[in-house]
Amino acid sequence: MKIMEGEQMKSKLVLLVPILAGVFFVGSVRADISSTITKVKPSVVIVGTYKSTNSPRFSLRGTGFVVGNGSVGGSNLVITNAHVLQQPAEQDVEAALVIQLRVGKDEVQMRPATVLEVDKLHDLVLLRFDGPPAPSLSVRDSSAVQEGQAIAFMGFPIGGALGFSPVTHRGMISSIAAAALPTPSAQQLNEKTIRSLRGGGSFDVFQLDGTAYPGNSGGPLFDPETGEVLGVVNMVFIKGTRESALTNPSGISYAIPSGFVLQLLQRGKAN
């Protein structure tokens, strides 16, 4: 009888250990993403336009994030999508380009910004903003990113309709596939474009299983454990090239690999 009781106790312990391990694992994952969000949040900015005579004076265009320039104490450089800077026909083209960043817990500052470098091929742009530097994110080489890898992304979905506090989503890389570029018009043809077309006119992008919204465009796709940038969320340029045959847009979201961000940063430093 005692032998049977001992065996039953061992069986219960064997069952209990995986359960406790699972609880510990879930708790540690939640703690990791919470600390990563705290780390990433100060580097995520709103990109928009401002003019004192407009109503509203500020217009949100998308999300951006501060990237390092090798200096100590932060940076004044921001990465976002190039299409974020394109002015809708109904807006004032004279409105100034600005970014809004959070300083401290409650204060939000608006800073004038200028364009340093544009990569139209990959829909990326490098900006510099005025004033003191802000905390920057580290950009990782995306060549090692794999399908099934866990990711997170942060931004201001639906044009700030949910408020101007950055929102975080989690997901994974569901596919790494080529994004075919639209054929340029005769006016857009140049040596660089011709070389790209000869090379197939496409580049690899990350397809995500998490749903992003237009206001997320330009926001960082990052490693949920380290906060390192793996890509740039894109809701217009890539969706238009990959899903142009669809009558209704799908819930699929995309991101531009961070390798192209590193190339843009190198060109910006060279200039």
Side-chain angles (χ1 to χ4, degrees):
M1 187 69 177
K2 289 182 179 180
I3 294 175
M4 289 295 294
E5 289 177 354
E7 291 298 327
Q8 289 177 353
M9 181 65 70
K10 287 181 181 178
S11 298
K12 289 180 181 179
L13 287 174
V14 169
L15 291 173
L16 185 60
V17 169
I19 294 173
L20 291 175
V23 171
F24 175 78
F25 176 75
V26 172
S28 62
V29 168
R30 288 175 178 170
D32 286 344
I33 188 63
S34 295
S35 59
T36 303
I37 289 172
T38 301
K39 176 183 177 181
V40 171
K41 217 171 185 179
S43 303
V44 178
V45 304
I46 303 172
V47 180
T49 56
Y50 177 86
K51 190 175 182 180
S52 59
T53 55
N54 286 351
S55 182
R57 290 176 291 181
F58 174 78
S59 175
L60 183 147
R61 300 288 297 129
T63 303
F65 56 96
V66 183
V67 290
N69 59 0
S71 62
V72 178
S75 170
N76 289 73
L77 302 179
V78 165
I79 289 288
T80 187
N81 288 150
H83 77 258
V84 164
L85 305 188
Q86 296 173 0
Q87 291 282 359
E90 69 274 11
Q91 285 192 348
D92 190 342
V93 294
E94 296 180 354
L97 176 65
V98 297
I99 61 106
Q100 288 191 10
L101 57 86
R102 190 171 297 276
V103 180
K105 186 177 180 180
D106 301 315
E107 182 184 357
V108 176
Q109 291 184 356
M110 185 180 299
R111 308 276 189 85
T114 54
V115 177
L116 291 184
E117 190 77 17
V118 179
D119 179 359
K120 290 184 179 180
L121 189 64
H122 304 107
D123 195 34
L124 295 172
V125 65
L126 178 64
L127 308 176
R128 184 192 299 277
F129 61 87
D130 295 350
S136 60
L137 297 179
S138 175
V139 182
R140 187 197 300 177
D141 183 359
S142 54
S143 61
V145 172
Q146 299 179 344
E147 294 178 353
Q149 183 170 332
I151 52 88
F153 56 91
M154 187 180 296
F156 302 90
I158 322 178
L162 302 181
F164 290 137
S165 179
V167 179
T168 305
H169 298 271
R170 293 196 67 174
M172 73 172 185
I173 304 291
S174 57
S175 177
I176 301 176
L181 299 176
T183 303
S185 64
Q187 291 82 2
Q188 294 173 312
L189 284 174
N190 53 42
E191 184 180 352
K192 184 176 181 180
T193 305
I194 293 172
R195 285 201 306 267
S196 173
L197 291 173
R198 285 175 178 172
S202 66
F203 59 93
D204 285 346
V205 295
F206 299 147
Q207 182 174 312
L208 316 176
D209 72 334
T211 302
Y213 297 90
N216 284 114
S217 286
L221 180 83
F222 58 92
D223 186 316
E225 294 184 2
T226 66
E228 294 174 304
V229 175
L230 303 176
V232 183
V233 177
N234 189 297
M235 292 305 300
V236 175
F237 182 79
I238 297 176
K239 186 174 286 290
T241 58
R242 281 189 60 82
E243 302 185 11
S244 57
L246 297 177
T247 303
N248 297 311
S250 74
I252 299 173
S253 299
Y254 301 97
I256 301 165
S258 56
F260 300 117
V261 174
L262 293 174
Q263 294 175 11
L264 184 62
L265 287 171
Q266 286 300 322
R267 290 198 296 274
K269 291 177 181 178
N271 296 333

